[in-house]
Amino acid sequence: MTGLHARVGVERPGFTLDLPLDVAPGEVVALLGPNGAGKTTTLRALAGLVSLTAGIVELDGVPLDDPARDVFVRAEDRPLGMVFQDYLLFPHLTALENVAFGPRARGTARSAARDQARAWLARVGLAEVASAHPSALSGGQAQRVALARALVTEPRLLLLDEPLAALDAVTRLAVRSDLRRHLTEFAGTTVLVTHDPVDAMVLADRIVVVEDGRVVQEGAPADVARAPRTEYVARLVGLNLVRGTAHGTTVRIDGGGVLHVSGPAEGEVLVAFAPSAVALHRERPTAGSPRNTWEGRIGGMEQHADVIRVSVDSQPPVLADVTTAAVADLDLTPGSRVYATLKATETQVYPA
Amino acid sequence: MLVPALVGLAFLVLPVVAVLLRTPWAALPHQLARSEVLESLRLSLVSATLATTLCLLLGVPLAWVLARSELRGRGLVRALVTVPLVLPPVVDGVALLLLLGRRGVLGQYLDAWFGISLPFSTAAVVIAEAFVAMPFLVISVEGALRAADRRYDDAAATLGASRWLTFRRVTLPLVAPGVAAGAALSFARALGEFGATITFAGSFPGVTRTMPLSVYLALETDPDAAVVLSVVLLVVSVLVLATLRGRWLSGVPR
């Protein structure tokens, strides 16, 4: 079997990681999750920088870590490349020497290693900074050098730890599309870790959402964005998420309340709806079209692009996007009593 | 605050000024050309250099173990490393004599099996100096290793570098300023070493009589010579300090 076959089990005091992960050659999988979910530990375990306490790591059919059979291949003997969160370019070496380090360490002659390094620097568009030290590189350049350093040895497994987190918004856009191109060209298996949903959506073929050491959702980026399965994922992709029990077009919400939804369903369901679908009123709206109304107080307000995102402490709690004009008209401030309404047609229902 | 600070500064500087004030500058060239002076200067520089080399060879690995290994009882090892630092140098000399002396715990076997007798030889000078100087190097290098980002080692490992290659090409260059500072400190300490040397190695002209020993002996017979020797040691020490300039005189270490 080719590609990565892993079940990453790491047991630490107060933390258990148990993550099945199968990635085909050429595929890019993003581990998406909050800080402390175990994403980086997973990456370090795949790299051989942390050893498993349970499970297995197998690459192209070769076991790299199998505690049950006492197999452990050290990081330096694994065919992998890794890009670290803040790149960790060796500060005392030039960009060229940084990229040539891998081939040299793996036994390539000095001049051949330099040729390979030069070719890779050219490939990431950085031929002109070959003799610069990392301190003289911009964030975007450092990221590209780190990528070249990881790919120059033609690894079978590429690991990226928050590859774009250290970049400012503008650079990030450019580097992200470049990175996507390089990942598409890369024939091996790629696992990347991020807490940014946009990075995951743009770069990955498949998203694995990790929370508290476990997989809570897995699927194509579009599916994850459309139908989040946990509060965390919903928040990431900017949706409200309610859990409940459906009977026809009525959902009895866990924790109290009822929601009228668009399509009929039965049993345990999740209901997702966009904050922009939620409207706020100061007076109780008169009954009319099939819509949902909650009463609550405004918990917080924050600017979100060109709208104000208002969180309403109601049952269930919801996020609503309103215009600046509406905030002024309705005199909305934290603590204000409001009514939130939502049309049933704006909801999406799917089995829990 | 300012007055005690100035008094403190004067306290540190005035003795050095006194040496310079009383230096017989006219007789300096003549004194310097004396063979005993040159001999003991040469001996001092050679033995301090050898001692520093010994400190580097043994101290850097020791510092690495203290900073990087998961060894149990590291705290105890660290405490043991600093023992020569807190013991009076004369006691250091006695301890060396009891271990490596002709009848010492190890020395008796060196003598019996290999015919090697360390005390009262130049080798003994080097050992005494290294013994008192090594803690400076270990502490300095360990601090640098602790401050260095260990994740560079991880990065090197994912690039296929063995531990030894990583140490040579990544770790050591990253802590080079710390190693240099430790080496300079050790050299200065070795150069000034008196108590352990005279106890363990004695004071034989040309063999074990280093500069500090010469200064002490000259003070009884030829005070002018003592001052000249002191000036020479002072100059060498200032040179050592100058190599540390970038690191300390400018304030914050890298």
Side-chain angles (χ1 to χ4, degrees):
Chain A
M1 177 186 153
T2 58
L4 176 72
H5 166 66
R7 185 176 186 100
V8 179
V10 177
E11 185 91 43
R12 292 222 184 105
F15 179 74
T16 306
L17 180 66
D18 185 14
L19 210 79
L21 196 62
D22 286 278
V23 190
E27 192 184 14
V28 179
V29 165
L31 301 181
L32 180 66
N35 287 331
K39 307 182 306 269
T40 295
T41 304
T42 302
L43 220 52
R44 291 176 61 81
L46 295 178
L49 298 171
V50 166
S51 49
L52 297 184
T53 51
I56 189 167
V57 174
E58 218 174 73
L59 186 64
D60 294 336
V62 179
L64 298 179
D65 195 347
D66 186 351
R69 280 188 289 167
D70 222 13
V71 173
F72 182 77
V73 178
R74 285 187 301 187
E76 64 249 40
D77 299 320
R78 299 187 183 194
L80 63 88
M82 186 159 176
V83 174
F84 292 84
Q85 185 162 7
D86 30 19
Y87 318 132
L88 299 179
L89 296 176
F90 303 128
H92 58 291
L93 300 180
T94 63
L96 185 74
E97 288 165 340
N98 262 283
V99 180
F101 188 94
R104 285 290 288 145
R106 294 193 149 103
T108 309
R110 181 184 297 272
S111 65
R114 284 176 161 259
D115 288 346
Q116 289 174 18
R118 211 168 274 120
W120 261 101
L121 279 179
R123 202 160 155 184
V124 297
L126 286 178
E128 75 281 2
V129 301
S131 56
H133 280 83
S135 58
L137 299 177
S138 72
Q141 289 173 330
Q143 202 276 348
R144 285 164 216 233
V145 173
L147 184 67
R149 184 174 73 169
L151 286 175
V152 65
T153 53
E154 298 180 352
R156 295 298 305 149
L157 174 64
L158 178 64
L159 305 170
L160 307 161
D161 189 3
E162 302 277 5
L164 304 170
L167 302 174
D168 62 80
V170 178
T171 318
R172 198 171 175 136
L173 218 61
V175 174
R176 188 190 286 138
S177 67
D178 269 8
L179 180 57
R180 183 183 157 77
R181 183 167 55 83
H182 288 295
L183 291 184
T184 311
E185 288 168 10
F186 178 58
T189 300
T190 304
V191 179
L192 77 91
V193 152
T194 180
H195 66 267
D196 183 328
V198 181
D199 289 349
M201 303 285 164
V202 172
L203 297 172
D205 303 314
R206 182 152 54 95
I207 292 178
V208 174
V209 184
V210 185
E211 279 179 60
D212 205 17
R214 319 219 160 250
V215 176
V216 293
Q217 185 167 5
E218 187 169 351
D223 295 338
V224 173
R226 198 177 314 121
R229 303 203 70 84
T230 70
E231 188 64 27
Y232 166 76
V233 185
R235 180 105 11 103
L236 272 188
V237 299
L239 290 178
N240 285 299
L241 184 70
V242 172
R243 195 178 284 273
T245 311
H247 186 65
T249 56
T250 305
V251 174
R252 196 164 296 284
I253 300 165
D254 293 358
V258 166
L259 196 60
H260 301 287
V261 296
S262 50
E266 291 297 328
E268 299 274 300
V269 291
L270 292 166
V271 183
F273 52 95
S276 58
V278 179
L280 296 183
H281 313 267
R282 290 310 290 262
E283 306 295 332
R284 178 178 284 280
T286 48
S289 58
R291 60 183 175 180
N292 301 287
T293 304
W294 300 276
E295 185 183 353
R297 285 185 188 279
I298 293 180
M301 304 168 66
E302 60 183 62
Q303 186 79 38
H304 243 257
D306 55 348
V307 297
I308 310 282
R309 180 158 291 181
V310 181
S311 66
V312 182
D313 293 334
S314 54
Q315 181 49 48
V318 288
L319 295 174
D321 281 354
V322 296
T323 61
T324 317
V327 169
D329 285 349
L330 296 174
D331 186 25
L332 298 179
T333 51
S336 304
R337 175 160 294 280
V338 290
Y339 295 92
T341 60
L342 170 71
K343 285 182 181 163
T345 50
E346 300 276 5
T347 60
Q348 189 174 348
V349 192
Y350 45 94
Chain B
M1 284 304 277
L2 199 58
V3 173
L6 286 173
V7 172
L9 184 63
F11 178 67
L12 293 174
V13 172
L14 283 182
V16 180
V17 173
V19 170
L20 294 175
L21 283 177
R22 287 299 169 86
T23 304
W25 297 103
L28 200 64
H30 164 70
Q31 287 278 7
L32 276 179
R34 283 169 51 200
S35 63
E36 311 97 273
V37 174
L38 288 178
E39 205 169 61
S40 79
L41 178 60
R42 189 192 58 81
L43 181 66
S44 267
L45 291 176
V46 167
S47 59
T49 304
L50 288 174
T52 305
T53 308
L54 192 62
C55 287
L56 283 168
L57 289 177
L58 301 179
V60 171
L62 188 50
W64 189 87
V65 168
L66 284 176
R68 292 291 165 90
S69 76
E70 317 266 288
L71 211 69
R72 295 203 311 154
R74 271 182 310 164
L76 181 66
V77 175
R78 188 174 299 113
L80 291 175
V81 165
T82 52
V83 164
L85 202 65
V86 294
L87 280 182
V90 176
V91 179
D92 288 339
V94 171
L96 285 172
L97 209 51
L98 292 178
L99 179 74
L100 299 171
R102 199 180 277 243
R103 300 187 172 192
V105 176
L106 285 179
Q108 55 181 320
Y109 301 109
L110 286 177
D111 191 31
W113 296 348
F114 307 106
I116 296 172
S117 174
L118 283 173
F120 313 117
S121 66
T122 304
V125 175
V126 174
I127 290 172
E129 291 180 351
F131 184 67
V132 297
M134 197 147 87
F136 289 93
L137 186 103
V138 174
I139 290 170
S140 175
V141 175
E142 193 203 344
L145 281 170
R146 285 189 176 282
D149 195 337
R150 289 186 67 162
R151 295 176 310 148
Y152 285 112
D153 294 20
D154 292 343
T158 66
L159 291 169
S162 65
R163 273 201 176 187
W164 173 235
L165 184 70
T166 301
F167 179 73
R168 256 185 328 121
R169 293 266 286 137
V170 177
T171 316
L172 212 47
L174 285 176
V175 299
V179 176
L185 272 177
S186 299
F187 185 82
R189 180 68 186 87
L191 198 66
E193 164 45 36
F194 179 84
T197 309
I198 202 162
T199 314
F200 181 50
S203 173
F204 298 100
V207 181
T208 71
R209 188 175 294 166
T210 56
M211 289 290 278
L213 272 58
S214 295
V215 172
Y216 182 75
L217 289 172
L219 210 49
E220 312 224 307
T221 56
D222 184 357
D224 273 3
V227 176
V228 169
L229 289 165
S230 299
V231 169
V232 172
L233 263 187
L234 186 68
V235 168
V236 175
S237 305
V238 167
L239 286 178
V240 172
L241 190 67
T243 66
L244 290 175
R245 187 192 48 191
R247 193 172 165 81
W248 284 342
L249 296 192
S250 65
V252 195
R254 192 180 72 92

